[in-house]
Amino acid sequence: MVGCPPARYLVFFQYFGTKYSGVMETSNDQSLIGVQNYLEKAVQNLKPVAPVKFHISSRTDTGVHALCNSAHLDIQRAPGKPAFEEKQLVRGLNHYLKPEPICILNAHRVPSTFHARFSALSRTYVYRLLMGCSHHSEIPVFERDLCWAPGGGYLNVPAMQEAAQFLVGTHDFSTFRSLSSDTPFRSPIRTVFQVDIQPSSGFLSHHYEHRGLEFWELKFRSRSFLYRQIWTLQRPPENSSSVRYRKDC
């Protein structure tokens, strides 16, 4: 009996990135490996006919979390077995991802022409700053690895908000990117849709209001970014990402 053709799915997933080298696949002999390694190990337990590759939409670096990253994958099942239902795929992957801090949020069956990276309309990075700590040891336990506490007093937020608007629009961001092997081949022109600097609440922060801590959120949204473009704009390593698509994808 001839098996069914591969079914393509778009999956949205989140992870707590502290223990990973980033989202992208790495060799398994490294001290820290990528989130993709765990995703692909989990899907193999669903007994596909051929090895499954996750095509990740948006990169994140070592220690960076994702509120909602995404990827597409093709799964071909054995002859006589129908394609996975979306909820069935979510439950199966989450079962085999335990106990890793990685969670599949949902899955959608998509056409074979869909690509998680190239079909994305925008990507959003969020950085959380904590002001009021003179030393990193003063960061509340429940906020460690979830924010960056720069020294040097409080932020001049109005000045930051004014300066941020110069980044919105289409610009040559050559001076804001790090070098990589493909830097000479990639255009430095990017369009930034949104830069917001807003106060943010901390987890259980109402229980330590007496400490005078302030949380701030810096949000950057664009269709795509250059290598470490936002890292260079705003240095803190603790951030999160999300990706947006058309509703009919």
Side-chain angles (χ1 to χ4, degrees), residues 7 14 31-32 48 57 66 68-69 79 83 96 103 145 151 155 179-180 199 208 227 232 240:
Q14 60 183 197
S31 57
L32 292 178
S57 68
C68 185
N69 207 336
Y96 289 111
C103 179
D145 295 326
L155 301 175
L179 296 179
S180 68
Y208 42 84
Y227 180 58
T232 307
S240 57

Side-chain angles (χ1 to χ4, degrees), residues 232-247:
T232 307
L233 287 170
Q234 177 53 57
R235 177 61 168 73
E238 291 79 22
N239 68 4
S240 57
S241 66
S242 61
V243 186
R244 188 169 65 90
Y245 297 93
R246 287 168 55 94
K247 290 185 177 180

